[in-house]
Amino acid sequence: MNTSVASRRHAIADDLRTQIATGHIKAGERLPSEAQLAARYTVSTPTLRNALALLQAEGVVEKVHGKGNFIRHPLPRITYVGGGLAASKTTLDVSVRTTKVRARGHLTDLLQVAAGTPLTEFLYLSHAGKSPHSLARIYVPRDLAPAATPGETSGPKGAAALLAEPRLPLSEIQESVCARLPTPTEAATLRISSTLAVLAITRVATDTTGRIVEVALLALPGDRGEAVFTTQLSTEDRRAEG
Amino acid sequence: MNTSVASRRHAIADDLRTQIATGHIKAGERLPSEAQLAARYTVSTPTLRNALALLQAEGVVEKVHGKGNFIRHPLPRITYVGGGLAASKTTLDVSVRTTKVRARGHLTDLLQVAAGTPLTEFLYLSHAGKSPHSLARIYVPRDLAPAATPGETSGPKGAAALLAEPRLPLSEIQESVCARLPTPTEAATLRISSTLAVLAITRVATDTTGRIVEVALLALPGDRGEAVFTTQLSTEDRRAEG
DNA sequence: GAGTGGTCTAGACCACGAG
DNA sequence: TCGTGGTCTAGACCACTCA
């Protein structure tokens, strides 16, 4: 009977999940210490920690070293709508930080500029309550963004609007989406496990002259969001497929 | 000195990674048994297994119960291009299996049909060499797909073409992308760790009458692919944003 | 300093795969 | 049957947080 024998950690995780779902444990609350939980379920601490790791990987539990395990608030899901147009259902607090940086690494490739090119970095960090939620970085060549809209801590704002702010006349937007593990920086900033994948969206915006005017990098933790792209097919498109 | 002390599992994982990168261990090869590796690095088996878990989460190592740990072949990355149009760089072996199923669960919502509605399921499984690579399931109401193109094991085929085959006159394609953990079935089929996130693409195709004619579910393991969406902005779009 | 999680050990026993 | 990985135990010691 494979199903009933199923590992203890899963059984414990399931039990905690239902306790959370039924409201016996509420969002934001702290769980009993791992030692107490291990005693309650009569398992060893590593086993109990494995159970918590499952919940952590699902984004249900947030571990804080030295403090305890906390139930995350129900995930406000961001819906990122492609094409630079945002439809936000929720409102999150978004803070913006503007910095001057110089192109290096991937950025030079994405922006198609020489290494060292002056850039303006807009760092968006959205919060759901007191927990960090998602992260976006937008890079614009400095000659195109002469400190326009600088340091605006634009306050509460449409969540999906994070990336959805082309500031310049554009002709084409290309978005590349992949699932990957967070960088150490991202994991720390978002306070997520480094094993919880993020949905990474890279948006490259081109103006009417073909110049790349903006690169946006969005990291959306795990199951905390999705991206939606809608394509209207014209008659020519439909013919082209046949 | 936090960096140098950094956990043993990371040190071991780093060592194995470089051995793989430098070719000391080649793709497809089997690693020594976990007990032997543990002895070599003078750590306990759980610690060594933790190190392997890191590599497994990156898709570098594939564990096979009862056989051993194997180095994966370098990942052929799929580029899925949105809008139902595919641009494939690699060619993978794709096998198709056609089954008759009935709508239930999520499918009824996605297809907007009643539970129990007869559907045709096309199950695409692509292989890179002998390893499963990615997985797609396409569902079409049976009255729209009267066993058209049935059981075609279409052989070697553009990889990204997996999902890119609208069979009916369409007017709109909506694609939703998210990062999530694989279902147990997906993990087993793709032989990936259940902790390695997949990029999940759900494509809903609507015909000119507004009826949903096809739902496609693509699971792209971890860092093994990306999705690209390109939006051309017309002048009206640009005005609408201002 | 008390309490928490983070990491690791040195085993044990079970389940799977191949000969 | 034998070697493999899968799971678990019952501790130990370190690192972080907060009073």
Side-chain angles (χ1 to χ4, degrees), chain B residues 83-105:
Chain B
L85 301 168
S88 52
K89 293 176 184 172
T90 337
T91 358
L92 300 178
D93 289 337
V94 180
S95 66
V96 190
R97 217 190 54 183
T98 310
T99 346
K100 296 182 177 181
V101 297
R102 289 187 172 269
R104 58 189 184 82

Side-chain angles (χ1 to χ4, degrees), chain B residues 142-167:
Chain B
R142 198 136 359 126
D143 58 335
L144 286 174
T149 66
E152 287 182 21
T153 305
S154 36
K157 192 174 189 176
L162 270 178
L163 252 186
E165 291 190 348
R167 325 185 151 55

Side-chain angles (χ1 to χ4, degrees), chain A residues 7-9 42-47 65-67:
Chain A
S7 53
R8 306 205 183 186
R9 51 165 181 254
T42 55
V43 293
S44 66
T45 37
T47 300
H65 193 162
K67 296 180 71 177

